[in-house]
Amino acid sequence: MAERSFAHEVLALRQGAGTTFRGEGILAVTKALLQSGVAYVGGYQGAPISHLMDVLGDAHEILEELDVYFENSASEATAAAMLAASVHYPLRGAVTFKSTVGTNVASDALANLSSGGVTGGALVIVGEDYGEGSSIMQERSHAFAMKSQMWLLDPRPNLTAIVDAVEAGFELSEVSNTPVMLQLRLRSCHLTGSFVAKDNKRPPMTVTDAVENPKRDVSRIVLPPASFLHEQEKITHRWPSAVRFIQERGMNEFFAEDAADIGIIVQGGLYNTLNRALELLGCSDAFGNSHVPLYCMNVTYPIVDAEVLRFCEGKRAVLLLEEGQPDYIEQSLNAILRRAGATAALHGKDLLPVAGEYTPTAVTRGVAAFLRKYLPEAITSEPALLRPDTDPSSPFAPRVEPAVVQPRPPGLCTGCPERPIFSALKLAERETGQHHISADIGCHLFSINAPFHLGATTMGYGLGSAGGAALNSKDAGRRTIAIMGDGGFWHNGLTSGVGNAVFNKNDQLLVVVDNAYSAATGGQDVLSSQAQSPLRSTQHPIEKAVRGIGVTWATTVTNTFKVAELRDLFIHALTTDEPGPKVIVAQSECQLNRQRRVAPERAQAVSDGKRIVKERFGVDSETCTGDHACIRISGCPSLTIKPNPDPMRIDPVATVTDSCVGCGVCGANAHAAALCPSFYRTDVVFNPTRRDKALAKMRNGWISLMSKGIERRASAIEAPAAPEGQGAPDTVPAHTTVSDSRARVSA
């Protein structure tokens, strides 16, 4: 169950020639694939292209009508290997995944594909989420394109430009017999716009046709001596063919080329940011009518020497906008200009940030510095971010001591079933001592932050177990713990982690967090998902898989919210004398996906007049001591603090906000850790029966009787009177009854 459905939006993919297609960038990419006659598509979800996989899945009926094969790949390596279908057959194929981590996983298959070359067009759509919006290491796909000599497209963030890049990418791949990478940034995936559509094309050769007519060409197989010839072919045939096509097709763009004797060269993906900077400086308008010459590199590899020299001819200086490190393009341009004897001065990282995302602020400051040096009269407007009091680089800026801003690290969602796992593990370590914990990619990686502080390393998706492999000393007095998600387990962890541990008789404890989905990428189904899928095979237990490759100590916990039981299981797993790897499958459904499914059903039931009970948890302010231990062992966003109602106590007390989803972890933690008895459960009954109303009346009467002493003490405190004619707000709908059971521990 993906977090977003595109069942309605994909209907627009049927639009024909001449119509105006409107939608998001990922829908435009899908439409472009269909217009290009793609024969097969695969991929692995991951931001920022997660929803592209969801769109393709929701469009399966349209794909089937066109005989387009679609597959949710088990990993990025699986997806990349699919492109082998284009090696011998004139099949257009496309795969997609998150980069650069996805490219790293797929590197072996992509390197072999690039070596042998392709007959049909092969397009690799990579989600380049560089910068602060990224959740991965800060690297660039550009390095891989250069290493394997795959052409890299970086189109302007414009739907027409993106669609053109997809269509031209297939042609470029076929003309040069080389796979092509199409780089899409987060903003490109989700910007909205329009373009003129074309008819969808049924592929001239389908996958079925290829299977029924097998072919092979020994010269395309990566095996000596053919592999030695592949390198020569890249230089003598593929590269010149690619450069010629890029020039003839006009894939790179020139704007206001002769407007001045200076210019700016920009990666396609940064074009919109550059134009906004020029607009702020009075050098362009919102529609891209620049007064400064621009060379937009929609193809960032290979660089076309002739176009660079043409743009720089007669110019005193040019500025290059290249985001990230190393400065591959800047080094190449320097070599091109100096070898040709060009006199234009080249600026880049000397005026712009060496590393980090090129935000509008960073670009505006860099462009302003360039224009002030070479063409100051072009600047007709001064944005606030360049004024002395806001520009820290200005010599006139007043010295201001930086304020200390407390960091706000990412954390687990309200009601997340992974939170009690780490609470239980922290409680277990009170008995066993601290352990080295090898973490993994996924939501569970947030456990490295407060309040859990668990996890020492993370080496890649599904590599949690392998990341702790070297720390399995048989002479050590305690075991290493590894953590892995269900998505990572099926992606890579079963073989590289569990299989490796079994083979080497490692004694580690592996905790597989099974929340029924690939939750961190948007809730896509995996092999162990419990929901039945009409298109995929699911309901394959993780415990059965690990036992199948030799694990003898394995157990599955089906309710992670029982903190005390999970704590005891951790203690047992960490102290048992049984040799070999131990595996605990901690299984509870992702709360976000559960709420997406249950909330509409509950709302409909309430509307139909059915009796519905919704659990809420709270903290008794009179009982709470204000030590906040419950918060330190939970970290739930709905658990916070408020002023102490007792005037004799100054410490704020814990409280539960309205975002509570009633998972009960706070109460379970309090019970497991023997913290305090202040947690209680309240049942909110919608459409109550006569019995519910009678019980509520009796309970409220009893609570009122028992709390008279508290009320007498509270009455001694002067309280502000409500405005005339205004009573206490009614926060509970009229058709509900609140049943306050004051259950001290009701997990």
Side-chain angles (χ1 to χ4, degrees), residues 6-309:
F6 292 86
H8 175 71
E9 287 92 332
V10 298
L11 298 178
L13 298 175
R14 299 184 186 276
Q15 287 183 216
T19 62
T20 300
F21 185 100
R22 292 182 173 85
E24 285 188 71
I26 49 177
L27 286 162
V29 171
T30 308
K31 176 61 175 169
L33 292 173
L34 299 179
Q35 293 177 174
S36 300
V38 70
Y40 64 95
V41 187
Y44 191 84
Q45 63 274 359
I49 51 80
S50 295
H51 289 325
L52 178 54
M53 293 298 295
D54 298 335
V55 168
L56 291 165
D58 287 337
H60 66 92
E61 292 183 358
I62 300 175
L63 299 180
E64 291 167 1
E65 291 171 7
L66 295 170
D67 285 331
V68 178
Y69 178 76
F70 170 64
E71 179 174 289
N72 283 94
S73 307
S75 71
E76 296 87 353
T78 307
M82 281 184 69
L83 292 173
S86 295
V87 171
H88 298 301
Y89 306 96
L91 296 171
R92 287 188 169 182
V95 298
T96 181
F97 42 73
K98 174 189 182 82
S99 71
T100 56
V101 286
T103 307
N104 292 341
V105 173
S107 60
D108 200 19
L110 290 177
N112 279 279
L113 182 75
S114 179
S115 179
V118 294
T119 301
L123 191 66
V124 181
I125 303 170
V126 294
E128 190 82 351
D129 54 347
Y130 180 86
E132 292 185 4
S134 171
S135 61
I136 60 172
M137 77 289 289
Q138 297 296 279
E139 293 185 354
R140 302 171 59 193
S141 302
H142 199 104
F144 191 93
M146 294 172 63
K147 187 269 293 183
S148 289
Q149 293 185 3
M150 297 173 60
W151 316 138
L152 179 63
L153 310 185
D154 187 7
R156 286 190 292 130
N158 169 285
L159 292 198
T160 299
I162 292 172
V163 170
D164 289 345
V166 172
E167 296 176 342
F170 280 121
E171 297 178 48
L172 174 61
S173 176
E174 291 165 344
V175 165
S176 61
N177 303 115
T178 304
V180 172
M181 299 175 70
L182 173 65
Q183 180 175 289
L184 289 180
R185 298 155 192 257
L186 185 63
R187 296 175 183 85
S188 297
C189 287
H190 298 296
L191 66 84
T192 56
S194 63
F195 64 94
V196 179
K198 301 176 184 177
D199 289 331
N200 296 334
K201 295 180 182 178
R202 187 178 185 274
M205 172 180 277
T206 66
V207 172
T208 301
D209 296 334
V211 172
E212 293 176 348
N213 299 276
K215 294 181 180 179
R216 64 187 295 267
D217 181 353
V218 176
S219 67
R220 292 290 183 198
I221 301 174
V222 186
L223 183 72
S227 56
F228 304 139
L229 298 176
H230 294 163
E231 182 184 22
Q232 298 300 319
E233 184 184 353
K234 287 180 179 180
I235 302 302
T236 59
H237 166 65
R238 300 186 200 174
W239 193 311
S241 298
V243 169
R244 187 164 50 249
F245 178 86
I246 293 166
Q247 288 180 286
E248 293 174 353
R249 186 65 178 264
M251 296 182 70
N252 295 320
E253 299 172 277
F254 296 84
F255 300 96
E257 188 174 1
D258 299 320
D261 62 352
I262 64 168
I264 300 177
I265 301 175
V266 60
Q267 291 174 279
L270 294 176
Y271 173 83
N272 286 8
T273 304
L274 170 61
N275 189 70
R276 176 56 177 161
L278 292 172
E279 184 185 2
L280 290 173
L281 296 170
C283 302
S284 183
D285 60 19
F287 303 98
N289 296 308
S290 174
H291 308 318
V292 178
L294 305 178
Y295 174 47
C296 182
M297 299 177 66
N298 294 315
V299 182
T300 53
Y301 187 79
I303 295 174
V304 182
D305 296 22
E307 290 185 350
V308 172
L309 294 173

Side-chain angles (χ1 to χ4, degrees), residues 694-705:
L695 283 173
K697 185 176 182 180
M698 179 182 69
R699 288 168 175 163
N700 290 336
W702 178 254
I703 292 172
S704 178
L705 177 64

Side-chain angles (χ1 to χ4, degrees), residues 349-366:
K349 299 291 184 182
D350 56 334
L351 298 179
L352 288 154
V354 175
E357 184 177 3
Y358 277 13
T359 62
T361 299
V363 171
T364 302
R365 287 175 174 165

Side-chain angles (χ1 to χ4, degrees), residues 241-514:
S241 298
V243 169
R244 187 164 50 249
F245 178 86
I246 293 166
Q247 288 180 286
E248 293 174 353
R249 186 65 178 264
M251 296 182 70
N252 295 320
E253 299 172 277
F254 296 84
F255 300 96
E257 188 174 1
D258 299 320
D261 62 352
I262 64 168
I264 300 177
I265 301 175
V266 60
Q267 291 174 279
L270 294 176
Y271 173 83
N272 286 8
T273 304
L274 170 61
N275 189 70
R276 176 56 177 161
L278 292 172
E279 184 185 2
L280 290 173
L281 296 170
C283 302
S284 183
D285 60 19
F287 303 98
N289 296 308
S290 174
H291 308 318
V292 178
L294 305 178
Y295 174 47
C296 182
M297 299 177 66
N298 294 315
V299 182
T300 53
Y301 187 79
I303 295 174
V304 182
D305 296 22
E307 290 185 350
V308 172
L309 294 173
R310 164 190 157 184
F311 181 74
C312 294
E313 185 178 2
K315 290 185 172 58
R316 291 180 292 137
V318 292
L319 173 68
L320 169 66
L321 268 66
E322 178 184 11
E323 187 176 54
Q325 264 294 101
D327 53 348
Y328 301 116
I329 300 176
E330 186 170 344
Q331 293 179 39
S332 297
L333 294 190
N334 265 311
I336 293 169
L337 294 174
R338 303 313 156 223
R339 285 172 183 167
T343 58
L346 177 64
H347 294 276
K349 299 291 184 182
D350 56 334
L351 298 179
L352 288 154
V354 175
E357 184 177 3
Y358 277 13
T359 62
T361 299
V363 171
T364 302
R365 287 175 174 165
V367 171
F370 175 72
L371 293 178
R372 284 170 182 164
K373 183 173 183 178
Y374 291 101
L375 198 67
E377 63 271 19
I379 302 177
T380 60
S381 177
E382 184 182 29
L385 60 88
L386 293 183
R387 292 171 189 161
D389 58 338
T390 58
D391 185 358
S393 64
S394 170
F396 305 105
R399 181 174 178 83
V400 179
E401 293 298 329
V404 177
V405 179
Q406 293 298 322
R408 188 180 182 183
L412 301 168
C413 302
T414 300
C416 177
E418 300 181 12
R419 179 174 287 104
I421 297 174
F422 304 119
S423 295
L425 186 53
K426 290 292 286 186
L427 294 172
E429 284 193 329
R430 295 200 311 184
E431 305 292 331
T432 65
Q434 290 189 341
H435 297 256
H436 177 87
I437 298 178
S438 177
D440 206 328
I441 303 298
C443 296
H444 42 84
L445 188 57
F446 294 145
S447 64
I448 67 172
N449 295 322
F452 305 114
H453 302 292
L454 296 171
T457 54
T458 173
M459 300 307 295
Y461 198 32
L463 294 176
S465 178
L471 300 171
N472 283 286
S473 172
K474 296 179 180 179
D475 299 327
R478 59 187 59 183
R479 294 189 171 98
T480 296
I481 301 174
I483 298 174
M484 189 187 302
D486 47 355
F489 175 85
W490 294 114
H491 175 276
N492 191 19
L494 178 60
T495 54
S496 65
V498 181
N500 180 73
V502 171
F503 183 70
N504 290 288
K505 297 183 178 181
N506 288 344
D507 196 36
Q508 71 175 206
L509 167 62
L510 171 63
V511 181
V512 181
V513 180
D514 180 8

